[in-house]
Amino acid sequence: QAVVRFEDVHFAYHPERPILRGVSFSVPSGKTVAIVGPSGAGKSTLSRLLFRFYEPQSGRITIDGQDIAAVQQDSLRAAIGMVPQDTVLFNDTIGYNIRYGRWEASETEMREAARLAQIDRFIEGLPEGYDTPVGERGLKLSGGEKQRVAIARTILKGPPILVLDEATSALDSFTEREIQDALDRVAQGRTTLVIAHRLSTVVNADEILVLDRGVIVERGDHDGLLDQG
Ligand code: ADP
Ligand code: ADP
């Protein structure tokens, strides 16, 4: 488990245009914190800073009290699992895509991850099962199926920290519900940062922060924020 903390983080891609203007919050060990807010608010920028794709101009980001400025990007990638909104799978088999990054996983572990991601029955119904090629020259999966393969990969990888970036926004509402259930299972017991633009997708978060133009303007739980309108 791990505690993620942002302390008075200021960030700008270009000096004349501040994107994050003093953002502070923490994600307690094993809890889920959601960041919601309009497009352009700076939500995805937060996750890019967490992976050290960029460095804050001031303030700091810590994991278990350690400033990530002193942590190698590779270690961050190992510790933080990411389910992005648009999953791009490798042009290889479904099994390869689930095992990616954890090649030593057994067949049983792979199947268990697929089961938790609720993609096992779909895969087992295919003539070639886990050996089915996907991508450009293979089977074309729907957005929801790709997401579930990505979720299975993340479950297998088992990172202590999880970032879900608008993970269901590209899906229709029926698929979204199913993916949400799978994501809730992955997030269970992990330190999770969810990035979303709608309150309706983060019902289960322990805390919700509303980010607007680089500033946290509200914080509360789902029902509390709804009451305030
Ligand atoms: P959100 O995820 O809330 O939609 P982002 O963090 O993606 O917001 O973007 C916040 C602002 O930063 C936007 O105005 C966006 O145009 C700008 N921005 C994002 N990425 C870059 C970049 N690489 N270079 C310059 N500006 C960027
Ligand atoms: P993987 O397929 O194992 O996710 P990648 O090379 O695609 O491998 O990325 C390694 C890790 O880096 C990802 O698991 C994710 O945690 C992180 N990562 C990759 N791309 C992004 C991104 N655009 N934003 C945030 N994190 C990313």
Side-chain angles (χ1 to χ4, degrees), residues 111-178:
R111 285 170 193 275
E112 175 62 8
R115 190 182 68 75
L116 288 169
Q118 300 176 323
I119 186 88
D120 55 329
R121 279 192 287 169
F122 169 80
I123 299 170
E124 282 152 24
L126 299 169
E128 292 177 272
Y130 288 85
D131 294 329
T132 306
V134 292
E136 272 163 28
R137 279 172 301 162
L139 182 69
K140 272 194 87 65
L141 299 182
S142 72
E145 288 154 0
K146 282 192 277 191
Q147 283 291 72
R148 274 178 279 179
V149 169
I151 292 167
R153 180 193 302 165
T154 303
I155 292 174
L156 195 59
K157 190 176 163 196
I161 301 169
L162 197 60
V163 175
L164 309 177
D165 191 351
E166 305 264 8
T168 61
S169 67
L171 309 167
D172 60 69
S173 57
F174 178 74
T175 314
E176 180 172 329
R177 188 63 252 153
E178 292 191 341

Coordinates of all heavy atoms in Angstrom, one line a residue, residues 111-178:
R111 N -5.8 -16.4 -16.2 CA -7.2 -16.7 -16.2 C -8.0 -16.0 -15.1 O -9.1 -15.5 -15.3 CB -7.5 -18.2 -16.2 CG -7.2 -18.9 -17.5 CD -7.3 -20.4 -17.4 NE -6.7 -21.0 -18.5 CZ -7.4 -21.2 -19.7 NH1 -8.7 -20.9 -19.8 NH2 -6.8 -21.8 -20.7
E112 N -7.3 -16.0 -13.9 CA -8.0 -15.4 -12.8 C -8.1 -13.8 -13.0 O -9.1 -13.2 -12.7 CB -7.1 -15.7 -11.5 CG -7.6 -15.0 -10.2 CD -9.0 -15.3 -9.8 OE1 -9.6 -16.3 -10.4 OE2 -9.5 -14.7 -8.9
A113 N -7.0 -13.2 -13.6 CA -7.1 -11.8 -13.9 C -8.2 -11.5 -14.9 O -9.0 -10.6 -14.7 CB -5.7 -11.3 -14.4
A114 N -8.3 -12.4 -15.9 CA -9.4 -12.2 -16.9 C -10.7 -12.3 -16.2 O -11.7 -11.6 -16.6 CB -9.2 -13.2 -18.0
R115 N -10.8 -13.3 -15.3 CA -12.1 -13.5 -14.6 C -12.5 -12.2 -13.8 O -13.6 -11.7 -13.9 CB -12.1 -14.7 -13.7 CG -13.4 -15.1 -13.1 CD -13.3 -16.3 -12.2 NE -12.6 -15.9 -11.0 CZ -13.2 -15.2 -10.0 NH1 -14.4 -14.8 -10.1 NH2 -12.5 -14.9 -8.9
L116 N -11.6 -11.6 -13.1 CA -11.9 -10.4 -12.3 C -12.2 -9.3 -13.2 O -13.0 -8.4 -12.8 CB -10.7 -10.1 -11.4 CG -10.5 -11.0 -10.2 CD1 -9.1 -10.8 -9.6 CD2 -11.6 -10.9 -9.2
A117 N -11.6 -9.2 -14.4 CA -11.9 -8.1 -15.3 C -13.1 -8.4 -16.2 O -13.5 -7.6 -17.0 CB -10.7 -7.9 -16.3
Q118 N -13.8 -9.6 -15.9 CA -15.0 -10.0 -16.6 C -14.9 -10.1 -18.1 O -15.7 -9.6 -18.8 CB -16.1 -9.0 -16.2 CG -16.4 -9.1 -14.6 CD -17.4 -8.1 -14.2 OE1 -17.5 -7.0 -14.7 NE2 -18.2 -8.5 -13.2
I119 N -13.7 -10.6 -18.5 CA -13.5 -10.9 -19.9 C -13.3 -12.3 -20.2 O -13.1 -12.8 -21.3 CB -12.4 -10.0 -20.5 CG1 -12.2 -10.0 -22.0 CG2 -11.0 -10.3 -19.8 CD1 -13.0 -9.0 -22.7
D120 N -13.2 -13.2 -19.1 CA -12.9 -14.6 -19.3 C -13.9 -15.3 -20.2 O -13.5 -16.1 -21.0 CB -12.8 -15.2 -17.9 CG -14.0 -15.1 -17.0 OD1 -14.7 -14.0 -17.2 OD2 -14.3 -16.0 -16.2
R121 N -15.2 -15.1 -20.0 CA -16.1 -15.9 -20.7 C -16.1 -15.5 -22.2 O -16.2 -16.4 -23.1 CB -17.5 -15.8 -20.2 CG -17.7 -16.7 -19.0 CD -19.1 -16.8 -18.5 NE -19.6 -15.6 -17.9 CZ -20.8 -15.3 -17.6 NH1 -21.8 -16.1 -17.9 NH2 -21.1 -14.2 -17.0
F122 N -15.9 -14.3 -22.5 CA -15.7 -13.8 -23.9 C -14.6 -14.5 -24.5 O -14.7 -15.1 -25.6 CB -15.5 -12.3 -23.9 CG -15.1 -11.8 -25.3 CD1 -16.0 -11.6 -26.3 CD2 -13.8 -11.5 -25.5 CE1 -15.6 -11.1 -27.5 CE2 -13.4 -11.0 -26.7 CZ -14.3 -10.8 -27.8
I123 N -13.4 -14.5 -23.8 CA -12.2 -15.1 -24.4 C -12.3 -16.6 -24.6 O -12.0 -17.2 -25.6 CB -11.0 -14.8 -23.5 CG1 -10.7 -13.3 -23.4 CG2 -9.7 -15.5 -24.1 CD1 -9.7 -12.9 -22.4
E124 N -12.9 -17.2 -23.6 CA -13.0 -18.7 -23.6 C -14.0 -19.2 -24.7 O -13.9 -20.3 -25.1 CB -13.3 -19.3 -22.2 CG -12.0 -19.3 -21.4 CD -12.2 -19.2 -19.9 OE1 -13.3 -19.5 -19.4 OE2 -11.2 -18.7 -19.2
G125 N -14.9 -18.2 -25.1 CA -15.8 -18.6 -26.2 C -15.2 -18.5 -27.5 O -15.8 -18.8 -28.5
L126 N -14.0 -17.9 -27.7 CA -13.4 -17.8 -29.0 C -12.7 -19.2 -29.3 O -12.1 -19.8 -28.4 CB -12.3 -16.7 -28.9 CG -12.8 -15.3 -28.6 CD1 -11.6 -14.4 -28.4 CD2 -13.6 -14.8 -29.8
P127 N -12.7 -19.6 -30.6 CA -12.1 -20.9 -31.0 C -10.7 -21.0 -30.5 O -10.2 -22.0 -30.1 CB -12.2 -20.9 -32.5 CG -13.3 -19.9 -32.8 CD -13.3 -18.9 -31.8
E128 N -9.9 -19.9 -30.6 CA -8.5 -20.0 -30.2 C -8.2 -19.5 -28.8 O -7.1 -19.3 -28.4 CB -7.6 -19.2 -31.2 CG -7.5 -19.8 -32.6 CD -6.7 -18.9 -33.5 OE1 -7.3 -18.0 -34.2 OE2 -5.5 -19.2 -33.6
G129 N -9.3 -19.1 -28.1 CA -9.2 -18.7 -26.7 C -8.1 -17.6 -26.5 O -8.1 -16.6 -27.2
Y130 N -7.3 -17.8 -25.5 CA -6.2 -16.8 -25.2 C -5.2 -16.6 -26.3 O -4.4 -15.6 -26.3 CB -5.6 -17.1 -23.9 CG -6.5 -16.9 -22.7 CD1 -7.4 -17.9 -22.3 CD2 -6.5 -15.6 -22.0 CE1 -8.2 -17.6 -21.2 CE2 -7.3 -15.4 -21.0 CZ -8.2 -16.4 -20.6 OH -9.1 -16.2 -19.5
D131 N -5.2 -17.6 -27.2 CA -4.2 -17.5 -28.3 C -4.8 -16.7 -29.5 O -4.1 -16.6 -30.6 CB -3.8 -18.9 -28.8 CG -3.0 -19.6 -27.7 OD1 -2.3 -18.9 -27.0 OD2 -3.2 -20.9 -27.7
T132 N -5.9 -16.1 -29.4 CA -6.5 -15.3 -30.5 C -5.7 -14.1 -30.7 O -5.5 -13.3 -29.8 CB -8.0 -15.0 -30.1 OG1 -8.7 -16.1 -29.8 CG2 -8.7 -14.2 -31.3
P133 N -5.3 -13.9 -32.0 CA -4.6 -12.6 -32.3 C -5.6 -11.5 -32.3 O -6.7 -11.6 -32.8 CB -4.0 -12.8 -33.7 CG -4.3 -14.3 -34.0 CD -5.4 -14.8 -33.1
V134 N -5.2 -10.3 -31.8 CA -6.0 -9.1 -31.8 C -5.2 -8.0 -32.5 O -4.1 -8.1 -32.8 CB -6.4 -8.6 -30.4 CG1 -7.4 -9.6 -29.8 CG2 -5.2 -8.4 -29.5
G135 N -5.9 -6.9 -32.8 CA -5.3 -5.7 -33.4 C -5.4 -5.7 -34.9 O -6.4 -6.3 -35.5
E136 N -4.5 -5.1 -35.6 CA -4.6 -4.9 -37.0 C -4.9 -6.1 -37.9 O -5.8 -6.0 -38.7 CB -3.3 -4.2 -37.5 CG -3.3 -2.7 -37.4 CD -2.0 -2.1 -37.5 OE1 -1.1 -2.6 -38.2 OE2 -1.8 -1.0 -36.9
R137 N -4.2 -7.2 -37.7 CA -4.4 -8.3 -38.5 C -5.2 -9.4 -37.7 O -5.4 -10.5 -38.2 CB -3.1 -8.9 -39.1 CG -2.7 -8.1 -40.3 CD -1.3 -8.5 -40.7 NE -0.3 -8.3 -39.7 CZ 0.9 -8.8 -39.6 NH1 1.2 -9.7 -40.5 NH2 1.7 -8.6 -38.6
G138 N -5.6 -9.1 -36.5 CA -6.3 -10.1 -35.8 C -7.8 -9.7 -35.5 O -8.4 -8.9 -36.3
L139 N -8.4 -10.2 -34.5 CA -9.8 -9.9 -34.2 C -9.9 -8.5 -33.7 O -9.1 -8.0 -32.9 CB -10.2 -10.9 -33.0 CG -11.6 -10.8 -32.5 CD1 -12.6 -11.3 -33.6 CD2 -11.8 -11.6 -31.2
K140 N -10.9 -7.8 -34.2 CA -11.2 -6.4 -33.8 C -12.0 -6.5 -32.6 O -13.1 -6.9 -32.6 CB -11.9 -5.7 -34.9 CG -10.9 -5.0 -35.9 CD -11.6 -4.0 -36.8 CE -11.7 -2.6 -36.1 NZ -10.3 -2.0 -35.9
L141 N -11.5 -6.0 -31.5 CA -12.3 -5.9 -30.2 C -13.0 -4.6 -30.1 O -12.5 -3.6 -30.6 CB -11.4 -6.1 -29.0 CG -10.5 -7.4 -28.9 CD1 -9.7 -7.4 -27.6 CD2 -11.4 -8.6 -29.0
S142 N -14.2 -4.6 -29.4 CA -14.9 -3.4 -29.2 C -14.1 -2.6 -28.1 O -13.2 -3.1 -27.4 CB -16.3 -3.7 -28.6 OG -16.2 -4.2 -27.3
G143 N -14.5 -1.3 -28.0 CA -13.8 -0.5 -27.0 C -13.9 -1.1 -25.6 O -12.9 -1.1 -24.8
G144 N -15.0 -1.6 -25.2 CA -15.2 -2.2 -23.9 C -14.4 -3.5 -23.7 O -13.8 -3.7 -22.6
E145 N -14.3 -4.3 -24.8 CA -13.5 -5.5 -24.7 C -12.0 -5.1 -24.5 O -11.3 -5.7 -23.7 CB -13.7 -6.4 -25.9 CG -15.0 -7.0 -25.9 CD -15.6 -7.4 -27.3 OE1 -14.9 -7.1 -28.3 OE2 -16.7 -7.9 -27.4
K146 N -11.5 -4.1 -25.2 CA -10.1 -3.7 -25.1 C -9.9 -3.2 -23.7 O -8.8 -3.5 -23.1 CB -9.8 -2.6 -26.1 CG -9.6 -3.1 -27.5 CD -9.0 -2.0 -28.4 CE -10.1 -1.1 -29.0 NZ -9.6 -0.2 -30.0
Q147 N -10.8 -2.4 -23.2 CA -10.7 -1.9 -21.8 C -10.5 -3.1 -20.8 O -9.7 -3.0 -19.9 CB -11.9 -1.1 -21.4 CG -11.9 0.3 -22.0 CD -10.8 1.2 -21.4 OE1 -9.6 1.0 -21.7 NE2 -11.2 2.1 -20.6
R148 N -11.4 -4.1 -21.0 CA -11.3 -5.2 -20.1 C -10.0 -6.0 -20.2 O -9.5 -6.5 -19.2 CB -12.5 -6.1 -20.2 CG -13.7 -5.6 -19.4 CD -14.9 -6.4 -19.6 NE -15.6 -6.0 -20.8 CZ -16.7 -6.5 -21.2 NH1 -17.3 -7.5 -20.6 NH2 -17.3 -6.1 -22.3
V149 N -9.5 -6.1 -21.4 CA -8.1 -6.7 -21.5 C -7.1 -5.9 -20.8 O -6.3 -6.4 -20.0 CB -7.8 -6.9 -23.0 CG1 -6.3 -7.3 -23.1 CG2 -8.7 -7.9 -23.7
A150 N -7.2 -4.6 -20.9 CA -6.3 -3.7 -20.2 C -6.4 -3.8 -18.7 O -5.4 -3.8 -17.9 CB -6.5 -2.2 -20.7
I151 N -7.7 -3.9 -18.2 CA -7.9 -4.1 -16.8 C -7.3 -5.4 -16.3 O -6.7 -5.5 -15.3 CB -9.4 -4.0 -16.5 CG1 -9.9 -2.6 -16.8 CG2 -9.7 -4.4 -15.1 CD1 -11.4 -2.4 -16.8
A152 N -7.5 -6.5 -17.1 CA -6.9 -7.8 -16.7 C -5.4 -7.6 -16.6 O -4.8 -8.2 -15.7 CB -7.3 -8.8 -17.8
R153 N -4.8 -6.9 -17.5 CA -3.3 -6.7 -17.5 C -2.9 -6.0 -16.2 O -2.0 -6.4 -15.5 CB -2.8 -5.9 -18.7 CG -1.3 -5.7 -18.7 CD -0.9 -4.6 -19.7 NE -1.3 -5.0 -21.0 CZ -1.4 -4.1 -22.0 NH1 -1.0 -2.8 -21.8 NH2 -1.8 -4.5 -23.2
T154 N -3.7 -5.0 -15.8 CA -3.4 -4.2 -14.6 C -3.6 -5.1 -13.4 O -2.8 -5.0 -12.5 CB -4.3 -3.0 -14.6 OG1 -4.1 -2.2 -15.8 CG2 -3.9 -2.1 -13.4
I155 N -4.6 -5.9 -13.4 CA -4.9 -6.8 -12.2 C -3.7 -7.7 -12.1 O -3.2 -8.0 -11.0 CB -6.2 -7.6 -12.4 CG1 -7.4 -6.6 -12.3 CG2 -6.3 -8.7 -11.3 CD1 -8.7 -7.3 -12.6
L156 N -3.2 -8.3 -13.2 CA -2.1 -9.2 -13.1 C -0.8 -8.6 -12.7 O -0.1 -9.1 -11.9 CB -1.9 -9.8 -14.5 CG -1.1 -11.1 -14.6 CD1 -1.6 -12.2 -13.8 CD2 -0.9 -11.5 -16.1
K157 N -0.6 -7.3 -13.1 CA 0.6 -6.6 -12.7 C 0.5 -6.3 -11.2 O 1.5 -6.3 -10.6 CB 0.6 -5.3 -13.6 CG 1.9 -4.5 -13.5 CD 1.8 -3.3 -14.5 CE 2.8 -2.3 -14.1 NZ 2.5 -1.0 -14.8
G158 N -0.7 -6.0 -10.7 CA -0.9 -5.8 -9.3 C -0.2 -4.7 -8.6 O 0.4 -4.8 -7.6
P159 N -0.2 -3.5 -9.3 CA 0.5 -2.3 -8.7 C -0.2 -1.8 -7.5 O -1.4 -1.9 -7.4 CB 0.5 -1.3 -9.8 CG -0.8 -1.6 -10.5 CD -1.0 -3.1 -10.5
P160 N 0.6 -1.3 -6.5 CA 0.0 -0.7 -5.3 C -0.8 0.5 -5.6 O -1.7 0.9 -4.8 CB 1.1 -0.4 -4.4 CG 2.4 -0.4 -5.2 CD 2.1 -1.3 -6.4
I161 N -0.5 1.2 -6.6 CA -1.1 2.5 -7.0 C -1.8 2.4 -8.3 O -1.2 1.8 -9.2 CB -0.1 3.7 -7.0 CG1 0.5 3.8 -5.6 CG2 -0.8 5.0 -7.4 CD1 1.7 4.8 -5.6
L162 N -3.0 3.0 -8.5 CA -3.7 2.9 -9.7 C -4.1 4.2 -10.2 O -4.6 5.0 -9.4 CB -4.9 2.0 -9.5 CG -5.6 1.4 -10.6 CD1 -4.7 0.4 -11.4 CD2 -6.8 0.6 -10.0
V163 N -4.0 4.5 -11.5 CA -4.5 5.7 -12.1 C -5.5 5.4 -13.2 O -5.1 4.6 -14.1 CB -3.4 6.6 -12.7 CG1 -4.0 7.8 -13.4 CG2 -2.4 7.1 -11.6
L164 N -6.7 5.8 -13.0 CA -7.7 5.5 -14.0 C -8.1 6.9 -14.7 O -8.7 7.7 -14.0 CB -9.0 4.9 -13.4 CG -8.7 3.7 -12.5 CD1 -10.0 3.2 -11.8 CD2 -8.1 2.6 -13.3
D165 N -7.7 7.0 -15.9 CA -7.8 8.3 -16.6 C -9.0 8.3 -17.5 O -8.9 7.7 -18.6 CB -6.6 8.7 -17.3 CG -6.6 10.2 -17.8 OD1 -7.6 10.8 -17.7 OD2 -5.5 10.6 -18.2
E166 N -10.2 8.8 -17.1 CA -11.4 8.8 -17.9 C -11.6 7.5 -18.5 O -12.0 7.3 -19.7 CB -11.2 9.8 -19.1 CG -10.8 11.2 -18.6 CD -12.1 12.1 -18.5 OE1 -13.2 11.6 -18.6 OE2 -11.9 13.3 -18.3
A167 N -11.4 6.4 -17.7 CA -11.3 5.1 -18.2 C -12.6 4.6 -18.9 O -12.5 3.7 -19.7 CB -10.9 4.1 -17.2
T168 N -13.7 5.2 -18.7 CA -14.9 4.7 -19.3 C -15.5 5.7 -20.3 O -16.6 5.5 -20.8 CB -16.0 4.3 -18.3 OG1 -16.3 5.5 -17.5 CG2 -15.5 3.2 -17.4
S169 N -14.8 6.8 -20.5 CA -15.5 7.9 -21.3 C -15.8 7.6 -22.7 O -16.6 8.2 -23.4 CB -14.7 9.2 -21.1 OG -13.5 9.0 -21.8
A170 N -15.0 6.7 -23.3 CA -15.2 6.4 -24.7 C -16.2 5.3 -25.0 O -16.4 4.9 -26.1 CB -13.8 5.9 -25.3
L171 N -16.9 4.9 -23.9 CA -17.9 3.8 -24.1 C -19.3 4.2 -24.0 O -19.7 5.2 -23.4 CB -17.6 2.8 -22.9 CG -16.1 2.4 -22.8 CD1 -15.9 1.6 -21.5 CD2 -15.7 1.5 -24.0
D172 N -20.2 3.4 -24.5 CA -21.6 3.6 -24.4 C -22.0 3.3 -22.9 O -21.3 2.6 -22.2 CB -22.4 2.8 -25.4 CG -22.2 1.3 -25.2 OD1 -22.7 0.8 -24.1 OD2 -21.6 0.7 -26.0
S173 N -23.2 3.7 -22.5 CA -23.5 3.7 -21.1 C -23.7 2.2 -20.6 O -23.4 1.9 -19.4 CB -24.7 4.5 -20.8 OG -25.8 4.0 -21.5
F174 N -24.1 1.3 -21.4 CA -24.3 -0.1 -21.0 C -22.9 -0.7 -20.7 O -22.6 -1.2 -19.7 CB -25.0 -0.9 -22.0 CG -25.1 -2.4 -21.6 CD1 -26.0 -2.7 -20.7 CD2 -24.3 -3.3 -22.2 CE1 -26.1 -4.1 -20.3 CE2 -24.4 -4.6 -21.9 CZ -25.3 -5.0 -20.9
T175 N -22.0 -0.5 -21.7 CA -20.6 -1.0 -21.5 C -19.9 -0.3 -20.4 O -19.2 -0.9 -19.6 CB -19.8 -0.8 -22.8 OG1 -20.6 -1.1 -23.9 CG2 -18.5 -1.5 -22.8
E176 N -20.2 1.0 -20.2 CA -19.6 1.7 -19.2 C -19.9 1.2 -17.8 O -19.0 1.1 -16.9 CB -20.1 3.2 -19.2 CG -19.5 4.1 -18.2 CD -19.9 5.6 -18.4 OE1 -20.0 6.0 -19.5 OE2 -20.0 6.3 -17.4
R177 N -21.2 0.7 -17.6 CA -21.6 0.1 -16.3 C -20.7 -1.1 -16.0 O -20.2 -1.3 -14.9 CB -23.1 -0.2 -16.4 CG -23.7 -0.6 -15.1 CD -23.7 0.4 -14.0 NE -22.7 0.1 -13.0 CZ -22.1 1.0 -12.2 NH1 -22.3 2.3 -12.3 NH2 -21.3 0.6 -11.3
E178 N -20.6 -2.0 -17.0 CA -19.8 -3.2 -16.9 C -18.3 -2.9 -16.6 O -17.7 -3.5 -15.7 CB -19.9 -4.0 -18.1 CG -21.2 -4.6 -18.4 CD -21.2 -5.6 -19.5 OE1 -20.2 -5.6 -20.3 OE2 -22.1 -6.4 -19.6

